[in-house]
């Protein structure tokens, strides 16, 4: 294949559209979270990921898992954790069964801020998707995002053929 191959051109255009959609959504959410809650998208994502941890087997994430979940390097994730810890939104403590392991939990203040910020995040996401849906190049991607992980509705038993 060459650089002028139509398949490569279409692939590149698709990637550009996806990148554009992501950038617009992230920028819209970033502005809303910063303005209303003094949180970045990454900070919100980290609080959200860590708030889903639980006690018990497999309940706490290792820093590599957290980094993967928030799409940052491990060192950038550690710096982000430190910043949020300095703000009192996170707390770190040693793993009770492996003294080498360090757990990071969202503090009560972090959970409160996350609960306050969640509607802002959700509304900004919806606004950004609605705006992007008006762009013919982005509309198909918006439909994909909206259908991804959509809860399936159970089929009423009367509609199921016997």
């Amino acid at each position: 294949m060459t650089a002028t191959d139509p398949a490569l051109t279409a692939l590149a255009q698709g990637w550009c559209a996806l990148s554009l959609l992501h950038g617009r959504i992230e920028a819209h959410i970033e502005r809303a979270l910063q303005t209303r809650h003094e949180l970045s998208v990454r900070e919100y994502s980290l609080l959200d990921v860590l708030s889903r941890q639980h006690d018990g087997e497999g309940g706490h994430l290792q820093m590599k898992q957290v980094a993967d979940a928030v799409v940052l390097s491990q060192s950038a994730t550690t710096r982000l954790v430190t910043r949020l810890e300095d703000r009192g939104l996170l707390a770190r403590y040693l793993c009770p069964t492996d003294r080498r392991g360090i757990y990071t939990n969202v503090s009560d203040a972090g959970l409160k801020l996350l609960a306050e910020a969640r509607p802002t995040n959700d509304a900004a996401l919806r606004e950004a998707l609605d705006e992007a849906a008006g762009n013919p190049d982005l509309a198909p991607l918006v439909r994909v995002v909206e259908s991804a992980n959509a809860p399936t509705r159970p089929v009423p038993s009367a509609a199921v053929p016997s």
Side-chain angles (χ1 to χ4, degrees), residues 59-128:
H60 281 83
L61 300 172
Q62 298 171 348
M63 285 304 280
K64 181 182 182 334
Q65 294 169 303
V66 174
D68 289 345
V70 296
V71 194
L72 289 173
S73 68
Q74 281 186 257
S75 61
T77 301
T78 299
R79 289 191 301 273
L80 183 58
V81 165
T82 300
R83 282 198 310 272
L84 291 177
E85 185 178 35
D86 290 347
R87 289 175 59 188
L89 302 174
L90 298 177
R92 287 188 250 202
Y93 64 95
L94 290 176
C95 171
T97 58
D98 179 0
R99 305 297 280 176
R100 296 170 296 169
I102 298 175
Y103 287 161
T104 304
N105 279 339
V106 181
S107 68
D108 289 342
L111 290 172
K112 181 178 185 283
L113 181 58
L114 181 62
E116 292 168 356
R118 191 176 309 279
T120 301
N121 180 79
D122 295 348
L125 173 60
R126 180 73 267 156
E127 291 165 4

Side-chain angles (χ1 to χ4, degrees), residues 20-34:
L20 177 63
L21 178 62
H22 176 268
R24 285 184 180 185
I25 291 170
E26 188 171 58
H28 192 82
I29 294 172
E30 180 82 26
R31 282 190 300 276
L33 288 173
Q34 282 288 349

